[in-house]
Structures are given as structure tokens and as C-alpha cells.
């Protein structure tokens, strides 16, 4: 079984591999690129509603995720690995329907401050449920389904392997690039209510791929009807 899983992971690896893309330029306004793995595997669709310097604003209409329970850890990398393994078993058929599910991207980790000992954070790691499974995602022990209403995301892309030391810096850079914009105010408002995670890290590549990796920091928020753009 382990060998079989490894074989599947190798396929996943080759599916996700790609050799040509550019991460956004930070110096000029440019339209963000769709992560390259999304030309090979299913990703949630979105509309780009604004492109700023170093960030873009997307709207995701409605997405369905299968999520782990909150994982308390000091390390995003460790928590994501732990969560990814649970979700990988899930798509391999370790669910109540014994159903295999196609791999998708991204795998996201929502990060919230934890009530636990100082320095720990709480991570919820989620797999994007393919459209074909969205009506009835297989339940599984220890996992739950999240159905997101339409939501906006301020997004910053970065490349390489996600390291704990980088994530805070990338999130801070995103926040700095949003500073003084209408988006910043909307994000702040949402954090008080519906989107309690501080930010989310979206990863589009398998852990075994070492080249041309793309990751994103998302800050999720709602826009009220009376919000003027
Ligand atoms: C999201 O919903 C709006 C309004 O119904 C629609 O115009 C738009 O095409 C949808 N976008 C995506 C990516 O599905
Ligand atoms: C939070 O979600 C509720 C229900 O969807 C919505 O009515 C409310 O406007 C949202 N809050 C904010 C700040 O957008």
C-alpha cells in the first residue's frame, strides 16, 4: 500500500510539474498569472477584480473544501505536512464512500492564532473538492466539509518551498502592499466577523517537486453591498 501510494504521488508529481511560468513582478503592475498546475489539474475558478502593485484581488464565487480539524503547531510546514497526509489518504479512498477523488490544487492552510501555549498557531488544512464531487463530498472521520460563500481574496504569489521563516514575511509584504487601500479596510472589517483566520497559505505543488513552485498568501474578506469601490 505504501509503495502504491508512492507510485500515485509520483504521478501527482509529474502532473504538477511544469517548467515555464513567472511569478509576478513586484516592480510593475502586472496581471497575476494563473498557477501553472491549474492547466493540468482542477483548481477553483475565480474572477480577478483588481490588480495592484504586488497583489491582486480575486473573487471566488463558491468553493467546497474538505478540511482537517484545527492542528496546533508552531510550524506551518509541519502542520501542512500532517494535514496533507490526512487529505491524501482521503482522496485515495479512505472515506466513508471508499471513493477515489481526483487531485486538485491548491492545498490551503488557514492560519489563526491559537489559545494554546504562546507561539503555537492553529492550522486548518484543506483540499479543494472537484466540481464532480461537490454535491456530495465523501465524509470521513476527522475531516469536515466547508462550503464557502462568495469570498474575496487579496493574493500575493511567491515561489520556492514554503518555509516557516518566509511565510510571515510574505504575509507582511502583502499587508504592506495593501496599506492604505480600500481592500485593507475591507480585510480588517472581515477579520472582526466572518473570516477569523489571519491569512491563508495556498500551495500548488506536491512536496516532491523542487522546481518552479508557486505559492500564494491569501487574505480573505467579504464586501458588503454598500461597499463602494
Ligand atoms: C461568478 O458569479 C458571477 C455572478 O453570477 C458571474 O458573472 C461570474 O462569471 C462567476 N465567476 C466564476 C469564475 O464562476
Ligand atoms: C458574514 O456573513 C453573513 C452571512 O453570510 C453576512 O450576512 C454578513 O454580512 C457577513 N459579514 C460581513 C462583515 O461581511
Amino acid at each position: 500500500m505504501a509503495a502504491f501510494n508512492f507510485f500515485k504521488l509520483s504521478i501527482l508529481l509529474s502532473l504538477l510539474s511544469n517548467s515555464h511560468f513567472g511569478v509576478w513582478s513586484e516592480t510593475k503592475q502586472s496581471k497575476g498569472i494563473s498557477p501553472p498546475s491549474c492547466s493540468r489539474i482542477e483548481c477553483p475558478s475565480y474572477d480577478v477584480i483588481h490588480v495592484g502593485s504586488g497583489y491582486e484581488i480575486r473573487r471566488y464565487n463558491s468553493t467546497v473544501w474538505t478540511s482537517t480539524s484545527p492542528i496546533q503547531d508552531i510550524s506551518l510546514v509541519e502542520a501542512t505536512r500532517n494535514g496533507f497526509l490526512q487529505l491524501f489518504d482521503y482522496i485515495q479512498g479512505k472515506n466513508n464512500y471508499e471513493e477515489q477523488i481526483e487531485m486538485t490544487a491548491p492545498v490551503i492552510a488557514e492560519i489563526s492564532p491559537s489559545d494554546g501555549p504562546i507561539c503555537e498557531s492553529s492550522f486548518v488544512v484543506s483540499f479543494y473538492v472537484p466540481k464532480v464531487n461537490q454535491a456530495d463530498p465523501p465524509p470521513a472521520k476527522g475531516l469536515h466539509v466547508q462550503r464557502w460563500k462568495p469570498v474575496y481574496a487579496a493574493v500575493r504569489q511567491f515561489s520556492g518551498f514554503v518555509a516557516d521563516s518566509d511565510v510571515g514575511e510574505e504575509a507582511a509584504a502583502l499587508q504592506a502592499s495593501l496599506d492604505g487601500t480600500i481592500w485593507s479596510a475591507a480585510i480588517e472589517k472581515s477579520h472582526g466577523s466572518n473570516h477569523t483566520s489571519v491569512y491563508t497559505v495556498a500551495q500548488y505543488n506536491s512536496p516532491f517537486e523542487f522546481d518552479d513552485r508557486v505559492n500564494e498568501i491569501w487574505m480573505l474578506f467579504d464586501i458588503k453591498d454598500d461597499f463602494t469601490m
Side-chain angles (χ1 to χ4, degrees), residues 9 12-24 33-38 40 76-77 80-81 84 103 105-108 156-164 166-167 170 201-217:
L9 275 173
L12 167 65
L13 166 62
S14 58
L15 280 175
L16 291 181
S17 71
N18 61 79
S19 54
H20 48 83
F21 72 92
V23 166
W24 302 342
I33 48 134
S34 170
S37 14
C38 299
R40 298 180 173 80
L76 168 102
V77 171
T80 305
R81 180 174 300 150
F84 180 79
M103 188 61 200
V107 168
I108 61 170
R156 174 185 173 84
Q157 283 186 336
F158 60 104
S159 59
F161 279 93
V162 172
D164 289 315
D166 301 338
V167 166
E170 296 292 343
V201 178
Q203 300 186 60
Y204 289 85
N205 301 87
S206 97
F208 302 100
E209 192 182 354
F210 57 88
D211 222 4
D212 293 341
R213 302 175 59 86
V214 68
N215 317 291
E216 293 170 346
I217 304 281

Side-chain angles (χ1 to χ4, degrees), residues 149 189-190 193-194 222-224:
K149 298 203 173 78
K189 215 163 159 189
S190 289
S193 55
N194 290 355
D222 295 317
I223 292 179
K224 294 244 183 131

Side-chain angles (χ1 to χ4, degrees), residues 25-141:
S25 158
E26 286 188 41
T27 51
K28 62 179 195 321
Q29 286 224 347
S30 55
K31 188 164 162 27
I33 48 134
S34 170
S37 14
C38 299
S39 61
R40 298 180 173 80
I41 58 176
E42 187 179 336
C43 297
S45 57
Y46 57 83
D47 294 304
V48 176
I49 61 163
H50 178 78
V51 179
S53 180
Y55 70 93
E56 78 178 14
I57 305 293
R58 299 177 183 166
R59 185 183 57 230
Y60 288 90
N61 273 347
S62 49
T63 45
V64 181
W65 306 85
T66 294
S67 305
T68 66
S69 303
I71 298 168
Q72 314 297 323
D73 208 308
I74 55 167
S75 162
L76 168 102
V77 171
E78 285 304 316
T80 305
R81 180 174 300 150
N82 174 342
F84 180 79
L85 291 174
Q86 292 177 47
L87 295 167
F88 191 71
D89 281 348
Y90 172 77
I91 68 172
Q92 291 282 66
K94 202 173 151 194
N95 55 59
N96 294 4
Y97 302 165
E98 298 184 2
E99 186 176 351
Q100 293 206 0
I101 302 171
E102 289 295 325
M103 188 61 200
T104 61
V107 168
I108 61 170
E110 293 170 81
I111 305 169
S112 308
S114 162
D115 309 332
I118 206 153
C119 294
E120 280 201 341
S121 298
S122 173
F123 303 92
V124 173
V125 183
S126 303
F127 164 79
Y128 169 66
V129 176
K131 286 214 167 65
V132 67
N133 300 102
Q134 287 183 3
D136 187 17
K141 193 162 167 274

